[in-house]
Amino acid sequence: MNAPVTLHAAATWTAPALVLRPWCADDVTALVEAYRDPGLRRWASPPVEGAEDGLRWVRDRERDWASGTRFGFAVLEETLGAPAVAGHVVLKGVGPGKPSAEVGYWTAARARGRGVAPRALDALGTWAFESFRADGLECLELLHQADNAASCRVAEKSGYAFGRILPSAPPSYPLDGHLHLRHADDARSALSASSASSALSGLRPIVQP
C-alpha cells in the first residue's frame, strides 16, 4: 500500500480533533519550528536545522510512502484557522508475511498536554491492523529509551503493554530500552476502553499526557 491515507482522531473535552495525513512541502516551516525544541531534539534523529533539512526530511517521508514499508503521518490539530502541525507518527517495518511492525512518534512542544500522542497512535494502530492484518500483521511494537518516562505513559495510554527491557547496544543505543506491545486481537482501543471506564465512574474527565 502506498496511496495517500488520511486518518482522524476525535476531539476531547479540552483538545481539538486530529487529522493524520502524509507530510508535504507545505509543512516544512512547522517542522523546523518543532525541531527547535531541545526536548524533541534529544530523542528524535536526524536533526532538522533549517528549511533545507526540513525539505529533505519531508522528501524522505514521501519516498518512505512510495516504498510501501514505512508510513509517516503529520498530525494536525483541527483549529478554527488552518490546521496546525502538532506531531508525527510512523508505522515502519511492515510487509507481507511479517507478524510485527514498529510505531514511533513525537509531539511538538506547543501541543503537549492535550493527548495528541495517545490519540494519534490509537488511530495509527487501528489503521495498521485494518490494512495489514491480512498480510500477517499481528503485533505492533513501541520502543523507547528506559529513562524516557513520558513515553512509557504514552505507551500505556495507547494500549501498548510493557513487554520487556532491551539491553543497551552502544554507541547507537547507549542505555537500556523498553519494548511495549499492542496485539491485533485486542478487542477495543485503549482510548475507547478508558472512555468507557470514565463513563461508568461518573463521567470523570480523562487526563491526557
Side-chain angles (χ1 to χ4, degrees):
M1 174 187 295
N2 52 18
V5 172
T6 300
L7 308 176
H8 298 271
T12 70
W13 292 352
T14 58
L18 304 176
V19 176
L20 287 66
R21 52 119 173 108
W23 289 87
C24 66
D26 290 343
D27 301 322
V28 167
T29 299
L31 177 69
V32 173
E33 180 63 28
Y35 265 84
R36 291 197 177 112
D37 169 41
L40 174 58
R41 293 166 69 91
R42 178 185 178 190
W43 306 112
S45 63
V48 176
E49 303 290 354
E52 185 176 344
D53 285 347
L55 183 58
R56 184 181 303 112
W57 190 95
V58 168
R59 296 306 185 210
D60 285 345
R61 303 293 77 75
E62 291 172 343
R63 283 189 285 272
D64 290 342
W65 271 90
S67 75
T69 59
R70 185 181 178 112
F71 305 94
F73 292 83
V75 180
L76 310 177
E77 288 186 310
E78 290 192 311
T79 59
L80 292 178
V85 172
H88 166 70
V89 291
V90 60
L91 173 70
K92 47 191 173 180
V94 68
K98 296 185 67 174
S100 64
E102 184 182 345
V103 300
Y105 76 95
W106 53 255
T107 305
R110 63 157 199 86
R112 290 176 193 149
R114 297 201 283 269
V116 169
R119 287 185 289 147
L121 284 170
D122 189 63
L124 178 69
T126 299
W127 171 76
F129 287 127
E130 289 177 350
S131 301
F132 299 104
R133 194 173 188 189
D135 292 332
L137 181 65
E138 291 293 333
C139 180
L140 294 175
E141 301 177 348
L142 189 158
L143 293 77
H144 66 82
Q145 199 162 280
D147 60 345
N148 190 343
S151 280
C152 244
R153 292 192 294 271
V154 167
E156 292 167 357
K157 287 178 177 290
S158 307
Y160 288 79
F162 176 74
R164 61 188 175 91
I165 293 177
L166 303 172
S168 62
S172 298
Y173 304 99
L175 298 178
D176 289 350
H178 286 182
L179 171 65
H180 296 259
L181 305 170
R182 176 174 170 178
H183 297 278
D185 286 334
D186 292 343
R188 296 183 298 171
S189 74
L191 298 184
S192 296
S194 295
S195 297
S197 176
S198 285
L200 292 173
S201 301
L203 295 176
R204 293 195 300 270
I206 302 170
V207 179
Q208 303 288 356

